Every structure is written in C-alpha cells, then in structure tokens.
Amino acid sequence: MDIGVNDTMIDAIRSHFGDAGIKYVANKHQGGKNGNKGIRYEDSFIGTKIVEAAVRLVDDWNAENPHIQGQYFCFVDDVRIQTKNKTSYYQIKNALNVSWDSLKDDFKKQYELSTKLTEPDPITNIIVSCDNLADKLKKSIPEGIKKHSFVYYFPWHGSVNKLVLEDKCIQGELSKLAYIEQPTLDILIGVFHALIAGFNNYPCGASVKEILQDVRKMYPCQLRLFPSTLDFKKEQLKPQFQSTLDRIQGLTYSIERGGFHWFGFGMSGFFGTDHKSKSQFEKLQNQIIEKEPKEFDEFEKILNDIQYGEELP
C-alpha cells in the first residue's frame, strides 16, 4: 500500500461508494502526488498553518496541537487538518478558473464519509489564489454543501521566499518562532523552510509538536526552545562561565528563546538544546572556566577547537 494512505478511509470509501469510489479517489490521489514536487502553492499554505499552530503553542504549550497531512487519500485530498474538535479538509487551487461544478460532488461525498467515520465536526474548504474568484465562489456555494463548505483566499507569491518577504503578518508570526528576538528576513525565511522540511519528513502526517521537535533536531539553530517556559539560563549557565565572559573585551552574549548567543568583532554563534549542541556547550563552559581567557582571540580558539572537533589538551 502506498505510504500516506489510510486503510480505515479506504474501507469506508469501498463500503459507502463501492469499487468505483476507490478507483476515483486513487486516480485523484495519484494525480496529486505527481504534481506535488518542489515548493509549491500547497507547501506555502501548509507552512502557514504550521506557523499559526506553532505560535499558539509558544503562548501556551497546552494549546491545540493539530495533526496535519498533505495528499490524504479521500475525496477532498490536498490537506487534512484534525484537532480534537474539528476535521478540516482542503482542496487547494492555484488557478483562475475554478467552479463548484468540479467540486461539489467531492465536497458532498467527503462530508458523508467523514460523518460515517464519526470524525469531529468535519468541514470542507476550497482555497484559491485569486480574491475575486474567492468572492465569486463564496456567493455561489451550492445549497447541498453550504452548511459544511467554506471558501478562503490565500495569495500566491510565486515562492516561499517571496511570501515571507512580502507578507508582514507571516513575518510577525515567524519572528515569534525564531531563535533570537529580532530576526532578519533571512532568518525568517530559514525558519519557514525548516518547518516545511520537517513536515515533509512525515508522509502520513504529524502533529505540529512532532514537526517542531523534528525541526529542532534537524536545524538546531533555527527554532526557539519549546516549550517556551523552559529556562536555559537556570538549567545550563554556570556562574563562573558568565563571570569569565564578562571580563573579555568586545564579547557580548545573551540567553534568549532557549539558546546561548555570543557576538564579537562582527562574528556570532549559537548553542541550542539539542544533544550535540548541549554537549559542545558543556565542553565550552568547562574550558572557559579552566583556561580563563582574557582576550576574544583566546575565546575564539577554544570555541573553534570544540566546534570543529580538534582534540582539547
């Protein structure tokens, strides 16, 4: 069986719509997979949904933790997002010519199927990249699907990079997820790409917390520490280490968002809380305390020895 295909959903489709239903969904699913290459419109949309949920988790680690999957084997198949109280199916169309004629039957069948499976509050959504088209579709939702169907406008910027560069709202949300308080646009773009990469590691979908944890492992210098209530300074910073650094002219440092950041003479670095970074940071603290560097060059040599694997004396 193809990865990402849900056996329960297959059984329900066959039971409710017969082999013809299975064949129809299989053809649609294969077409979606074939088109799902590279960073596209769907990736941007999914990325924003991950960001929205992650920002809520920054404020409250016990907030909703949605499960997100792309190319789900069903009638409305581009994206499925489920929480404890709602199941949202999305068809995503980056086209100017979209009509309910091609959507209404799939939306109706998806709602029937989700209801049969007792999924929580199922809804069907169409996402389009043209605001005028969105307005037109909103005004003409067929009566038979109106109670569970919604239309949303999501602009297509041409690439993920341009989305981040042009959308102030997504910039603000990504800023809350970055590893420093005042991230540059380059850092924000890196955070967004890292979240999409984390999501793509889960062909069967994953919760947002799982995605965040995966990204922290793959890209330890991209995301802040989660949950945000953890106190890096209290847990990891030794007083003798701090006092030694405070005496080195030209070196500044900060502890924010779960990481140790240092700056000096146009250079900077970061230690996070992943296993490798924690181990290196522990070595750095011990060497700084033992050697008591007085100048930035001495600090830099100790740092390089640790980060680039040279044997410490």
Side-chain angles (χ1 to χ4, degrees), residues 82-212:
Q82 185 171 46
T83 64
K84 290 181 180 179
N85 301 314
K86 187 178 289 293
T87 310
S88 302
Y89 289 88
Y90 296 87
Q91 206 68 62
I92 301 176
K93 299 288 188 181
N94 185 17
L96 296 177
N97 296 315
V98 178
S99 73
W100 286 113
D101 290 341
S102 62
L103 297 169
K104 62 184 179 182
D105 192 52
D106 285 346
F107 277 40
K108 178 177 180 292
K109 288 178 178 177
Q110 186 59 57
Y111 182 75
E112 290 175 2
L113 197 61
S114 295
T115 301
K116 180 181 175 67
L117 291 169
T118 65
E119 293 182 336
D121 191 17
I123 61 172
T124 49
N125 306 274
I126 175 66
I127 308 297
V128 294
S129 57
C130 173
D131 54 352
N132 290 332
L133 176 59
D135 290 339
K136 178 182 176 181
L137 290 171
K138 285 178 184 178
K139 294 173 182 177
S140 59
I141 300 175
E143 286 296 328
I145 62 170
K146 185 174 284 187
K147 71 174 184 178
H148 59 79
S149 297
F150 301 88
V151 181
Y152 295 99
Y153 164 59
F154 180 73
W156 172 232
H157 294 263
S159 69
V160 166
N161 289 12
K162 290 185 73 174
L163 166 64
V164 177
L165 291 171
E166 295 172 359
D167 190 321
K168 298 296 182 184
C169 181
I170 196 71
Q171 288 174 20
E173 291 183 322
L174 287 169
S175 293
K176 296 178 183 178
L177 304 179
Y179 67 92
I180 56 175
E181 294 289 343
Q182 295 182 328
T184 63
L185 286 173
D186 283 349
I187 291 174
L188 299 184
I189 289 171
V191 170
F192 201 85
H193 277 287
L195 290 171
I196 293 173
F199 169 78
N200 287 335
N201 281 341
Y202 294 93
C204 294
S207 73
V208 171
K209 284 185 179 180
E210 288 174 321
I211 294 167
L212 293 174

Side-chain angles (χ1 to χ4, degrees), residues 54-55 58 171-192 194-195 212 215-228 230 232 253-263 266-274 277 307:
V55 168
V58 168
Q171 288 174 20
E173 291 183 322
L174 287 169
S175 293
K176 296 178 183 178
L177 304 179
Y179 67 92
I180 56 175
E181 294 289 343
Q182 295 182 328
T184 63
L185 286 173
D186 283 349
I187 291 174
L188 299 184
I189 289 171
V191 170
F192 201 85
L195 290 171
L212 293 174
V215 172
R216 287 280 305 172
K217 293 175 183 176
M218 292 192 302
Y219 308 103
C221 295
Q222 290 288 0
L223 289 184
R224 67 181 303 153
L225 179 67
F226 284 89
S228 60
L230 292 183
F232 183 93
Y253 65 92
S254 65
I255 302 94
E256 53 185 309
R257 300 190 171 189
F260 173 81
H261 310 259
W262 63 266
F263 313 86
M267 295 178 284
S268 64
F270 170 80
F271 288 90
T273 54
D274 62 288
S277 193
Q307 290 189 315

Side-chain angles (χ1 to χ4, degrees), residues 7 71 82 256 272 284:
D7 288 339
Q71 295 303 311
Q82 185 171 46
E256 53 185 309
L284 176 66

